[in-house]
């Protein structure tokens, strides 16, 4: 396993490592992909890794939570699929106008979401998937702004 990806926000530190690929030929991998076997393999490997590393991850999480004041979540990537073990679900307050609420209500009425909260989470996920490159550029720009601020004069 190589270096893990670490993602940090206000509430959570997410650590995602990549498991080595299952040995076999490219044709076997393609066959697994077509039958859904890859998803089952990824889930099984993720569960095994979770169980085998549980004590070590708990120790690391406790230390990190005390040091950084954030919860730690874990996951792995196996066979090109991300399997998350733990994640936080954090309530976020927002104000929506009627047209925006109608979008959420339509998603609920159509059975896409169970509630307005689920509908809003669905919209955020959809927006994140389709705007990933734009959001990545924006995050890069924000990092540059923070760097310039850090290098600037102190008051």
């Amino acid at each position: 396993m190589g270096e893990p990806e670490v993602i940090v926000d206000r509430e959570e530190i997410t650590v995602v490592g990549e498991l080595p690929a299952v040995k076999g030929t490219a044709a076997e991998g393609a066959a697994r992909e077509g039958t859904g076997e890859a998803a089952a393999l990824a889930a099984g490997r993720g569960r095994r890794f979770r169980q085998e590393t549980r004590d070590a991850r708990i120790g690391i999480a406790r230390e990190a939570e005390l040091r950084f004041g954030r919860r730690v979540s874990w996951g792995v990537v196996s066979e090109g699929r991300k399997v998350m073990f733990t994640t936080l679900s954090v309530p976020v307050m927002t104000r929506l106008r009627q047209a925006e609420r109608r979008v959420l209500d339509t998603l609920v009425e159509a059975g896409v979401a169970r509630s307005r909260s689920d509908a809003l989470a669905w919209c955020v996920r959809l927006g994140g998937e389709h705007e990933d490159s734009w959001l990545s550029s924006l995050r890069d720009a924000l990092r540059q702004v923070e760097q310039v601020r850090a290098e600037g004069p102190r008051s």
Side-chain angles (χ1 to χ4, degrees):
M1 189 150 127
E3 289 292 314
E5 175 186 23
V6 178
I7 303 165
V8 179
D9 70 8
R10 294 177 186 169
E11 294 86 15
E12 182 176 23
I13 301 169
T14 303
V15 182
V16 180
E18 186 159 355
L19 298 177
V22 173
K23 292 185 174 32
T25 66
E28 289 171 338
R32 278 196 302 269
E33 187 67 35
T35 64
E37 188 179 335
L41 181 62
R45 292 183 76 212
R47 279 192 301 273
R48 184 174 63 230
F49 181 83
R50 179 183 187 183
Q51 198 60 31
E52 291 173 354
T53 61
R54 186 174 192 278
D55 292 337
R57 287 185 300 102
I58 288 172
I60 293 167
R62 283 185 181 146
E63 185 176 327
E65 288 169 5
L66 286 172
R67 185 172 191 183
F68 301 112
R70 294 178 174 99
R71 296 292 308 265
V72 178
S73 297
W74 302 92
V76 295
V77 175
S78 175
E79 307 304 308
R81 299 172 189 276
K82 186 183 284 188
V83 179
M84 296 303 298
F85 309 152
T86 55
T87 56
L88 290 182
S89 181
V90 179
V92 178
M93 178 62 127
T94 187
R95 295 182 186 277
L96 301 175
R97 301 196 187 289
Q98 186 180 35
E100 297 158 336
R101 293 189 310 267
R102 289 184 66 212
V103 170
L104 300 181
D105 292 341
T106 299
L107 293 170
V108 172
E109 290 168 11
V112 173
R114 292 177 298 183
S115 64
R116 282 181 169 177
S117 177
D118 285 345
L120 185 56
W122 182 86
C123 290
V124 169
R125 280 192 304 274
L126 185 66
E129 289 172 9
H130 292 287
E131 298 297 328
D132 191 43
S133 63
W134 180 81
L135 288 172
S136 293
S137 296
L138 182 60
R139 287 183 186 113
D140 290 341
L142 287 171
R143 280 192 284 277
Q144 289 175 336
V145 168
E146 289 300 318
Q147 182 180 354
V148 169
R149 283 183 182 156
E151 294 171 356
R154 305 271 181 217
S155 36

